[in-house]
Amino acid sequence: MDLLPTLCQVAGVPLPENEIDGENVWEVITGKEGAENPHAYYAFSNNRNFEGIMSGNGRWKLHLPHDYRILETDGADGMPGKYGRAQLDTALFDMVADPFETPNVISDQPEVAAELIRLANGHTSKFYSD
């Protein structure tokens, strides 16, 4: 999402007049001292399903309730494994302390969860409302 505004900045070309959700991140890419990520969050989705957000600093990942695919039986002898579906409730993970998303820390971090839920609700209203 940041590709267009960043390349426009580097090339000295004006941005299109229509609204875009990207930001110029050239200073972040080049490691300029004091550069900060301009995004409060990054949304992630699977096709049309908005599944959650990650904080702009990359530390926190909030999953909204959604189903996901799980491996039920390993594949063998060139044959694929069998997959099923499972449900994930609202969950918060500390990606710095636990990049494998093992313990849900939502009850330990209610302020972080509340802020990310607020951002997710705003994103839903902007991009997923009928």
Side-chain angles (χ1 to χ4, degrees):
M1 76 174 115
D2 296 324
L3 190 59
L4 177 64
T6 302
L7 291 178
C8 285
Q9 170 66 29
V10 171
V13 176
L15 286 171
E17 292 187 22
N18 58 305
E19 181 182 3
I20 59 172
D21 60 355
E23 299 285 341
N24 174 13
V25 293
W26 184 247
E27 292 182 353
V28 174
I29 291 171
T30 59
K32 182 177 180 181
E33 188 174 333
E36 292 185 20
N37 181 352
H39 297 285
Y41 70 93
Y42 292 96
F44 58 93
S45 61
N46 181 359
N47 294 322
R48 295 180 184 191
N49 302 318
F50 176 42
E51 295 183 347
I53 62 174
M54 179 172 275
S55 62
N57 65 7
R59 178 169 182 188
W60 302 104
K61 186 174 184 183
L62 177 80
H63 284 273
L64 300 172
H66 65 275
D67 66 331
Y68 61 99
R69 190 169 91 150
I70 60 167
L71 180 64
E72 292 181 341
T73 307
D74 291 337
D77 299 322
M79 299 302 296
K82 293 187 180 181
Y83 291 88
R85 304 296 294 177
Q87 180 70 28
L88 178 66
D89 290 327
T90 303
L92 179 69
F93 299 99
D94 182 340
M95 301 304 291
V96 173
D98 175 35
F100 297 107
E101 300 180 32
T102 308
N104 179 356
V105 298
I106 198 163
S107 60
D108 300 332
Q109 299 291 334
E111 297 87 12
V112 173
E115 176 61 13
L116 292 177
I117 289 168
R118 184 188 68 76
L119 291 169
N121 288 339
H123 186 83
T124 299
S125 295
K126 186 171 183 178
F127 296 106
Y128 290 89
S129 57
D130 292 333

